[in-house]
Amino acid sequence: MMTEKRENWGSRFGFLMAAAGSAVGLGNIWRFPYLTGMNGGGAFIIIYLGCVALVGLCIMTAEFAVGRRSGLAAVGAYKSVSDRWSFAGALGVLSGFFIMGFYPVVGGWSLAYIAKSFTGLLAAPEAIGDAFGAFITNPVEPLVWMVIYLAINVVIVAKGIQSGIEAAGKVMMPLLYVILIAIIFRTVSLPGGGEGLKFLFTPDFSKVTGQTFLAALGQAFFSLSLGMGCMITYGSYLSKDEKLPQNALIVTTMDTSVALLAAVAIFPALFAFGVEPTAGPGLVFVVIPQVFAQMGGFGVIFSALFFLLLFIAALTSSVSLLEVVVAYLIDQQKMPRKKAVYITSAIMAVMCILASLSLGVMSGFTIFGVGFFDFFDILTDKIFLAIGGGLLAIFVGFFMKKEDLKDELTNGGTISFGAFEVWYNLTKYVIPLVIAWIAFAGITAIQQKSLMIFGLAVIAVFAIFSKKL
Ligand code: PFF
């Protein structure tokens, strides 16, 4: 069979927009502000920044190095060093697959809410909560939006790296910054908004517990798209003269800046309208439209812009998730790109239908004690990603040759990477221990014990059959 030539990114800017696009997603705009609200504001932000700088930056550098060294996506990259380790890559592919079992559902909601902003959503602020409940439990409407959302992903990923993912990132990421800054200008100037900024930037360490550290570290992983081979895959399309540590620093900074900007956009609005910052998961779809409804004339525009922002952020992340699976099928199964995209997304659509229906008509149907939506979410978010990240750190530290890593990170000795020893020792010794602690504490705190056992069993089966993957 003819195999397609493996593409590279067309430009450095294009790669950076695509990688930052992957990182910036629902994790930044929806999850980060709500976690900050629930964990003491400024104190959480300081701990989060520490986690990003210590763990996130090192793992991203490592993923780029592993990907570019092998020139292959997750499974192939591990396999090129040791057959035994291909299971860690396969676990990443499975994580990407499962995250795509619910991410497009929420992506579809964001699309729907762009439209709903113009069609009367804001007219009755007191009914916004009920309207959201009615929308997500409807058996048809969210499915239509999900299919539209997934179809947009299909079109982008089917076009390939340069004219698909890279082109989309180059347009959408700058647009995302523009919209975010426009919203900040509006919300920061609201009367009473200053209180929100004070909450964000005055740390209250009395609220900090061990759980706060766990939440911060877990969030750093999810937000930076680490622990499932996504940045390995994106790194595999990088040319040999790109400076990996510098690119990792830029992507990490962009992701963190969007999380901080999203918090700066949202908190003044919450405080100005007397909404509790601890409102939790309903924050984006219920509280934000309520806030904009009270804003008068321009509320509709700001609401539509906000959901456009959420849609763009989600889209550039979900294309990376789809690409992780597609790249595996291209590299390891020698499948043509388009075929890989169509097959993969068809299965994802079925999973998303189950996930969406599990919030409504199928709410009584559970597997391992949870509905399909939570099954895909908890399994990846709480079990697979942390373990995937820990495995990567161990693989890099103990199974790759130190001189190979140095060679890759210094482009064959042509550029300097002064912090190499610090990076190497952190990745090899400190990070596996930190992640082991999080994984242990996080997994044992999960209420759905049978789901946890299932997740660990999947990992064990993968490890046993690693040579076949
Ligand atoms: N980083 C994305 C977010 O913050 O929403 C989610 C994500 C994308 C996680 C890609 C993992 C991944 F490989």
Side-chain angles (χ1 to χ4, degrees):
M1 190 198 310
M2 256 274 292
T3 48
E4 294 163 59
K5 189 179 170 304
R6 216 168 184 283
E7 274 190 274
N8 267 3
W9 302 105
S11 69
R12 176 159 197 238
F13 177 73
F15 159 70
L16 286 173
M17 291 304 107
S22 166
V24 173
L26 297 172
N28 303 58
I29 295 170
W30 166 70
R31 202 159 171 243
F32 181 72
Y34 122 67
L35 284 177
T36 303
M38 291 175 67
N39 286 290
F44 177 79
I45 292 186
I46 291 173
I47 296 167
Y48 176 75
L49 292 180
C51 293
V52 166
L54 187 78
V55 181
L57 187 55
C58 287
I59 294 283
M60 190 172 298
T61 308
E63 289 207 12
F64 284 165
V66 169
R68 191 179 66 175
R69 182 101 197 143
S70 61
L72 292 168
V75 175
Y78 277 103
K79 210 179 188 136
S80 67
V81 175
S82 145
D83 271 355
R84 201 77 203 81
W85 273 88
S86 42
F87 82 97
L91 184 64
V93 174
L94 189 71
S95 304
F97 204 64
F98 277 177
I99 296 179
M100 283 299 277
F102 71 93
Y103 213 90
V105 175
V106 184
W109 296 350
S110 68
L111 262 183
Y113 268 62
I114 299 173
K116 283 177 189 289
S117 298
F118 292 107
T119 54
L121 173 72
L122 309 189
E126 65 295 338
I128 290 174
D130 289 346
F132 179 64
F135 168 64
I136 65 167
T137 53
N138 184 297
V140 182
E141 203 190 341
L143 297 188
V144 174
W145 290 106
M146 178 277 289
V147 169
I148 298 172
Y149 178 87
L150 200 52
I152 301 172
N153 283 265
V154 169
V155 170
I156 294 173
V157 179
K159 280 187 191 266
I161 298 304
Q162 286 192 17
S163 40
I165 296 177
E166 182 171 348
K170 280 199 294 204
V171 177
M172 287 196 274
M173 285 311 286
L175 184 63
L176 180 140
Y177 271 97
V178 172
I179 298 175
L180 194 50
I181 289 166
I183 292 176
I184 290 176
F185 269 108
R186 183 65 194 97
T187 56
V188 167
S189 58
L190 288 169
E195 278 305 303
L197 294 182
K198 216 157 125 200
F199 175 79
L200 274 185
F201 296 113
T202 326
D204 173 5
F205 283 101
S206 69
K207 296 227 172 60
V208 172
T209 63
Q211 284 296 319
T212 318
F213 283 87
L214 299 184
L217 202 54
Q219 170 66 7
F221 251 80
F222 184 81
S223 187
L224 292 166
S225 301
L226 300 174
M228 51 153 282
C230 183
M231 293 302 175
I232 296 179
T233 306
Y234 274 24
S236 74
Y237 303 124
L238 267 175
S239 77
K240 288 288 178 195
D241 50 12
E242 279 299 339
K243 298 173 181 157
L244 301 183
Q246 199 188 60
N247 282 331
L249 183 62
I250 294 173
V251 175
T252 304
T253 308
M254 286 181 71
D255 183 65
T256 310
S257 69
V258 173
L260 292 175
L261 288 172
V264 168
I266 289 168
F267 278 86
L270 298 184
F271 278 71
F273 293 108
V275 176
E276 274 298 303
T278 51
L283 203 66
V284 165
F285 289 97
V286 179
V287 175
I288 290 293
Q290 276 172 352
V291 167
F292 287 130
Q294 296 174 51
M295 220 183 240
F298 286 109
V300 168
I301 305 288
F302 277 104
S303 174
L305 277 179
F306 181 84
F307 289 110
L308 179 63
L309 173 74
L310 194 64
F311 164 68
I312 292 173
L315 183 62
T316 49
S317 296
S318 52
V319 294
S320 75
L321 290 159
L322 180 53
E323 177 64 21
V324 167
V325 186
V326 166
Y328 158 74
L329 292 173
I330 296 174
D331 285 350
Q332 302 311 122
Q333 310 298 336
K334 308 290 171 236
M335 203 183 265
R337 172 171 286 274
K338 284 202 166 63
K339 186 174 169 195
V341 172
Y342 298 146
I343 292 181
T344 309
S345 54
I347 303 172
M348 287 168 176
V350 174
M351 301 196 308
C352 286
I353 290 172
L354 293 174
S356 186
L357 294 180
S358 76
L359 303 175
V361 289
M362 277 175 62
S363 62
F365 185 87
T366 59
I367 31 169
F368 300 106
V370 292
F372 279 106
F373 192 105
D374 289 341
F375 173 77
F376 296 135
D377 183 7
I378 297 170
L379 200 58
T380 50
D381 221 34
K382 302 232 163 63
I383 303 177
F384 287 174
L385 285 195
I387 292 181
L391 289 173
L392 177 90
I394 294 169
F395 171 75
V396 166
F398 294 92
F399 292 85
M400 282 183 79
K401 292 203 190 84
K402 189 175 178 183
E403 55 272 29
D404 286 353
L405 291 162
K406 186 154 194 178
D407 183 68
E408 199 56 43
L409 290 169
T410 58
N411 295 356
T414 57
I415 56 163
S416 73
F417 177 29
F420 177 78
E421 288 297 329
V422 177
W423 168 81
Y424 185 73
N425 288 301
L426 278 175
T427 306
K428 182 168 182 168
Y429 300 112
V430 180
I431 293 176
L433 288 177
V434 171
I435 292 175
W437 171 57
I438 301 169
F440 182 74
I443 290 173
T444 48
I446 285 182
Q447 287 155 355
Q448 299 81 4
K449 294 283 180 252
S450 60
L451 181 56
M452 178 200 80
I453 293 165
F454 171 74
L456 296 177
V458 169
I459 297 173
V461 169
F462 269 45
I464 292 165
F465 293 103
S466 58
K467 292 215 167 108
K468 297 213 161 28
L469 297 164

